Amino acid sequence: MEYDEKLARFRQAHLNPFNKQSGPRQHEQGPGEEVPDVTPEEALPELPPGEPEFRCPERVMDLGLSEDHFSRPVGLFLASDVQQLRQAIEECKQVILELPEQSEKQKDAVVRLIHLRLKLQELKDPNEDEPNIRVLLEHRFYKEKSKSVKQTCDKCNTIIWGLIQTWYTCTGCYYRCHSKCLNLISKPCVSSKVSHQAEYELNICPETGLDSQDYRCAECRAPISLRGVPSEARQCDYTGQYYCSHCHWNDLAVIPARVVHNWDFEPRKVSRCSMRYLALMVSRPVLRLREINPLLFSYVEELVEIRKLRQDILLMKPYFITCREAMEARLLLQDRQHFVENDEMYSVQDLLDVHAGRLGCSLTEIHTLFAKHIKLDCERCQAKGFVCELCREGDVLFPFDSHTSVCADCSAVFHRDCYYDNSTTCPKCARLSLRKQSLFQEPGPDVEA
C-alpha cells in the first residue's frame, strides 16, 4: 500500500511542462476566486491508492509510452504494387467509418485516403480501365502511357496532367485530348481529308466576312465577334475564316499560297484544324509550279538549278531499272520519292528547303552518287553509253552530262557543240525519215509493167 502511494505521488510530481491545460479542480473555481500560488510539493495531497485521479493521461508526463510504435499507421502508403495499395485503401475506409463524425482524426484519414487513391491511379496498369485504341469520327486514338509529359487538350483547352489523368492521341492527325473529352469531339480526323482530297487553298487569305459565318465559329459554331463579346473572333490566314479562342490558339504556320505566289515564308496565325492539315500536307508533292506560277523560275534562280538536277536524275533512272546491282542497292529509294518520278511536282517542304539552301546540296549529292555508279562503278551501265554520231570522237557520252544534247524524238546523244554547229535537226532522225519515205514511195510505171 505504501508503494502505491509513493508511485502516485511520483507520477503527479512529474507533470508534462508543456501541458498548459488546467486540472479539473481549477475549472471548478469561479471567476472571482483567487488561485493560490503553491508549489508542486504543496499541491500534492495524499491520495488513497484507489483514487482514479492520478491515472488521468492528461496529467502524466508524455513520454510516448502509450503509443504503439510497432503498429502500421492508418493510411500509410508504403505499398509498392497495386494489390497492397487496394488493401490499404480498404483499411482506410474501414477506419473512417469507425471514427467519430466530423472529428479531426476522421478528416486526417480522409486525406490519407485521397493520397492512396492518387497513388493507385499512378501505379495501376492502364490496360485495366480503358482500351488502348479507340476509333471515333475517323480518328484512331491511342492511349498515351507517358506520365511526365505535360500536354494541352485540343477539345477543352486545359492542361493534361499525365500523372493522374488518362489521355489519348490520334495517330493520324495528332489530336490530343482527355479520355473524358473523347465523346465530345465533333470534328473528323484531318488525315482522312488529306488521303481523299490532298490539295491546298491557293488563294491568299480568302476572307468572306463574319456575316457569311452567321457570326459563329467556323468549327464549333460558338458565337463570336470582333469586339470579343461573347468570344473573340480570330482569323485563320490559311482559310480566311474566323474561329473562337478554343479552336484558334494563334499557332503560326507557313501559308502555301503566299509561298507560291509571293515567295513569302513568314509564318502567320492559323487555326488548330488548319495547322494540323498543313503539318500533314507539308511533305506531299501536290504543287505544280509551272502551271501555278511559271514566272517563279525566272525570279528564283535556285529553282532553275533544282529543275536541271531533277531532269538529270530522271535520265539516270532507266540505267538503274535495268541494272541488277542498282536494284539490289535500292538506289532509287530516296526520301523524296517524287524526285525520281517526275520533275514538275513540289511539296511545301521542298520549297522550304530551297529557301534555306538545303535542297540544292542534297540533290547535288544524289546526282553525284548516281553518276558515279553509272560512269565508274558499274560496267553494265558504262556499256550503255553513247558515241556522238556527228563527230564519232571523244569519250563515251551519257544523256545527263552537262556538255551533251539529247534528241527529244529518238533520244540520241551528241556533243552540244557538234549538234549546234551542224544543224538543228537530229541526223539520226533525218536518216530514219528518209528510210520511211523510201519504203512508202509509190512504184513507177516501169515497175508495174
Side-chain angles (χ1 to χ4, degrees):
M1 188 67 68
E2 294 179 0
Y3 174 79
D4 293 338
E5 292 178 1
K6 291 181 180 180
L7 179 61
R9 292 175 62 86
F10 174 80
R11 287 182 175 178
Q12 291 182 3
H14 293 78
L15 295 176
N16 189 351
F18 300 100
N19 189 359
K20 302 298 182 179
Q21 296 180 356
S22 302
R25 295 185 180 180
Q26 294 177 353
H27 288 287
E28 294 177 358
Q29 296 176 351
E33 299 179 5
E34 295 182 0
V35 180
D37 188 9
V38 294
T39 60
E41 289 79 2
E42 297 175 354
L44 290 177
E46 294 193 8
L47 300 175
E51 187 84 18
E53 191 169 357
F54 71 91
R55 296 188 180 92
C56 180
E58 296 179 356
R59 302 187 63 182
V60 180
M61 186 175 184
D62 187 8
L63 299 177
L65 300 177
S66 61
E67 183 177 357
D68 187 3
H69 292 276
F70 301 98
S71 63
R72 186 174 63 179
V74 178
L76 179 65
F77 46 96
L78 296 176
S80 60
D81 56 5
V82 176
Q83 188 64 29
Q84 294 179 3
L85 275 173
R86 287 177 175 171
Q87 182 179 358
I89 288 175
E90 295 300 326
E91 294 178 0
C92 191
K93 288 181 180 179
Q94 189 66 28
V95 170
I96 291 174
L97 295 176
E98 294 176 356
L99 290 174
E101 292 290 338
Q102 304 297 329
S103 62
E104 294 296 330
K105 293 184 178 180
Q106 188 185 45
K107 293 179 181 179
D108 295 339
V110 171
V111 173
R112 296 190 192 101
L113 179 62
I114 294 173
H115 287 289
L116 284 171
R117 286 180 172 174
L118 291 176
K119 186 70 174 179
L120 178 63
Q121 181 69 24
E122 177 183 354
L123 296 180
K124 68 180 179 180
D125 188 3
N127 296 328
E128 294 183 1
D129 295 337
E130 301 181 12
N132 282 337
I133 299 177
R134 295 186 62 178
V135 180
L136 181 66
L137 293 177
E138 301 184 2
H139 290 278
R140 188 173 179 83
F141 287 105
Y142 180 77
K143 180 188 288 187
E144 294 289 346
K145 298 181 179 180
S146 175
K147 301 296 183 181
S148 60
V149 180
K150 186 175 69 173
Q151 303 290 342
T152 304
C153 179
D154 286 324
K155 179 59 183 177
C156 63
N157 198 12
T158 58
I159 295 177
I160 300 175
W161 298 99
L163 184 63
I164 59 176
Q165 290 179 327
T166 305
W167 57 292
Y168 287 82
T169 301
C170 177
T171 57
C173 64
Y174 305 103
Y175 188 98
R176 300 182 182 91
C177 67
H178 298 99
S179 59
K180 63 181 180 180
C181 299
L182 281 178
N183 297 327
L184 303 177
I185 297 175
S186 58
K187 193 72 175 178
C189 184
V190 179
S191 61
S192 61
K193 180 181 178 181
V194 172
S195 58
H196 293 93
Q197 188 180 3
E199 59 182 9
Y200 284 118
E201 173 62 56
L202 295 180
N203 296 319
I204 299 178
C205 193
E207 180 184 0
T208 57
L210 269 176
D211 55 342
S212 63
Q213 300 179 204
D214 197 17
Y215 294 92
R216 294 182 178 275
C217 175
E219 183 173 347
C220 67
R221 307 304 299 169
I224 56 176
S225 68
L226 294 176
R227 296 179 299 176
V229 180
S231 179
E232 178 188 3
R234 299 179 179 179
Q235 186 182 25
C236 175
D237 196 83
Y238 173 69
T239 62
Q241 295 178 321
Y242 290 89
Y243 298 83
C244 64
S245 58
H246 289 281
C247 303
H248 194 310
W249 296 3
N250 290 330
D251 297 305
L252 299 177
V254 176
I255 309 301
R258 296 184 181 274
V259 173
V260 172
H261 294 292
N262 300 339
W263 201 244
D264 181 10
F265 291 89
E266 182 181 355
R268 286 176 169 79
K269 296 179 180 179
V270 295
S271 63
R272 295 290 294 176
C273 181
S274 298
M275 187 196 67
R276 285 190 291 269
Y277 182 78
L278 293 175
L280 293 177
M281 287 283 294
V282 68
S283 299
R284 287 184 171 261
V286 296
L287 297 174
R288 198 182 297 269
L289 293 184
R290 290 183 183 178
E291 296 181 1
I292 300 172
N293 186 9
L295 298 177
L296 196 61
F297 289 91
S298 60
Y299 175 73
V300 184
E301 297 180 357
E302 293 85 351
L303 287 177
V304 179
E305 299 175 0
I306 289 171
R307 182 175 61 182
K308 180 62 172 65
L309 291 173
R310 293 183 64 175
Q311 291 174 352
D312 291 346
I313 290 174
L314 291 179
L315 293 175
M316 298 177 188
K317 183 178 179 180
Y319 290 87
F320 295 145
I321 293 177
T322 57
C323 178
R324 182 187 304 174
E325 296 178 2
M327 296 301 291
E328 291 178 355
R330 297 187 177 185
L331 293 179
L332 290 177
L333 294 180
Q334 300 295 326
D335 295 336
R336 307 174 197 262
Q337 194 62 31
H338 56 283
F339 281 1
V340 298
E341 296 176 357
N342 58 75
D343 62 338
E344 297 180 353
M345 306 302 294
Y346 292 84
S347 66
V348 173
Q349 187 62 50
D350 296 339
L351 302 181
L352 287 171
D353 292 340
V354 171
H355 181 67
R358 295 188 296 265
L359 186 58
C361 297
S362 62
L363 274 182
T364 303
E365 294 177 359
I366 295 174
H367 186 279
T368 304
L369 176 65
F370 285 5
K372 180 175 178 295
H373 172 84
I374 296 173
K375 302 175 70 172
L376 298 177
D377 298 341
C378 182
E379 295 181 357
R380 295 179 182 178
C381 294
Q382 292 178 23
K384 297 175 184 178
F386 294 83
V387 176
C388 179
E389 297 190 12
L390 294 174
C391 67
R392 298 188 180 276
E393 296 178 356
D395 299 333
V396 178
L397 303 180
F398 292 92
F400 50 85
D401 289 335
S402 59
H403 60 281
T404 60
S405 296
V406 182
C407 178
D409 297 328
C410 65
S411 299
V413 182
F414 310 94
H415 288 111
R416 181 172 297 177
D417 297 336
C418 298
Y419 184 76
Y420 286 106
D421 290 344
N422 289 270
S423 64
T424 58
T425 305
C426 174
K428 187 175 181 180
C429 294
R431 290 195 300 266
L432 291 175
S433 61
L434 290 175
R435 289 180 182 178
K436 290 181 181 179
Q437 290 178 5
S438 62
L439 290 174
F440 292 99
Q441 186 177 7
E442 296 182 359
D446 297 337
V447 178
E448 292 179 355

